[in-house]
């Protein structure tokens, strides 16, 4: 049996759906699942943030999901934590593919959801984004700059399109303090904006130009 989480689903043919999963040790897996009906229906079970056990059959880019069942209660998320978890799912859908499946992300994802269920903090998102970049092989060194010098808390840096962090005096440069705090997973509230700026730049090639719906929902959550 495999274990994983559903990231997204969409109707397929009659009484079936295509589901996008994050599977322990396999990363993103897309599969077809028969939904069933009545007491045998799996519709209520196949929801985001519900830890699942299942079997997968077939080969290729579209597998078949068989016998899904819950192996733990759904993770209780509400308020900002729910919006943030929706962002994680959309981010994974954009960034992961069959060539970059994210085989090592399951534990980080699970731990992030569990942490957010206890209380949301922006740092949880930043650390997961960092784990995602590392899994994609797209995280620059957070200890040395492009000149080979150690990142200094007293200096500022800019991410280079060709890779790495270069010393910079530009107004929008990212503080070395925030970079080091991100690397050590010791972000303070004063570092949140700089860390978000850096990670958004690094993730942009994978996310693409289309705005993230969850990001807009999060921004508008208190405007109604």
């Amino acid at each position: 049996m495999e274990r994983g989480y559903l990231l997204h689903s969409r109707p397929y043919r009659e009484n079936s759906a295509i589901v996008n999963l994050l599977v322990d040790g396999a990363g993103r897996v897309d599969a077809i699942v028969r939904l069933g009906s009545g007491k045998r229906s799996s519709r209520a079970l196949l929801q985001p943030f519900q830890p699942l056990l299942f079997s997968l059959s077939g080969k290729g880019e579209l597998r078949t999901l068989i016998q899904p069942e819950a192996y733990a209660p759904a993770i209780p998320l509400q308020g900002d934590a729910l919006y943030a978890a929706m962002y994680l799912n959309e981010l994974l859908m954009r960034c992961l593919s069959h060539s970059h499946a994210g085989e090592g992300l399951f534990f980080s994802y699970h731990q992030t959801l569990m942490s957010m269920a206890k209380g949301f903090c922006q740092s949880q998102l930043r650390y997961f984004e960092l784990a995602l970049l590392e899994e994609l092989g797209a995280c620059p060194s957070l200890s040395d700059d492009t000149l080979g010098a150690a990142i200094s808390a007293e200096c500022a840096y800019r991410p280079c399109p060709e890779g790495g962090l270069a010393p910079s005096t530009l107004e929008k440069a990212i503080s070395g303090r925030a970079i080091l705090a991100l690397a050590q997973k010791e972000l303070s509230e004063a570092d949140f904006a700089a860390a978000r700026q850096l990670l958004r730049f690094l993730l942009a090639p994978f996310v693409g130009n289309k705005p993230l719906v969850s990001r807009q929902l999060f921004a508008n959550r208190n405007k109604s």
Side-chain angles (χ1 to χ4, degrees), residues 5-7 20-30 61 87-109 128-129 131-138 203 205-208 212:
Y5 284 92
L6 181 141
L7 299 176
N20 311 109
L21 307 159
L22 184 66
V23 181
D24 188 10
R28 176 173 170 173
V29 174
D30 299 338
E61 295 187 354
Y87 165 72
L88 293 188
N89 281 11
E90 189 174 13
L91 185 65
L92 289 172
M93 287 294 297
R94 289 285 190 91
C95 294
L96 298 185
S97 64
H98 296 287
S99 57
H100 290 288
E103 292 88 347
L105 281 174
F106 177 84
F107 183 73
S108 294
Y109 177 82
F128 183 79
E129 290 169 336
L132 174 58
L133 282 166
E134 291 172 344
E135 186 70 25
L136 294 169
L203 285 166
F206 300 95
V207 172
L212 290 169

Side-chain angles (χ1 to χ4, degrees), residues 4-26:
Y5 284 92
L6 181 141
L7 299 176
H8 180 72
S9 66
R10 64 184 187 276
Y12 183 50
R13 294 172 181 168
E14 183 179 357
N15 204 31
S16 65
I18 291 178
V19 292
N20 311 109
L21 307 159
L22 184 66
V23 181
D24 188 10

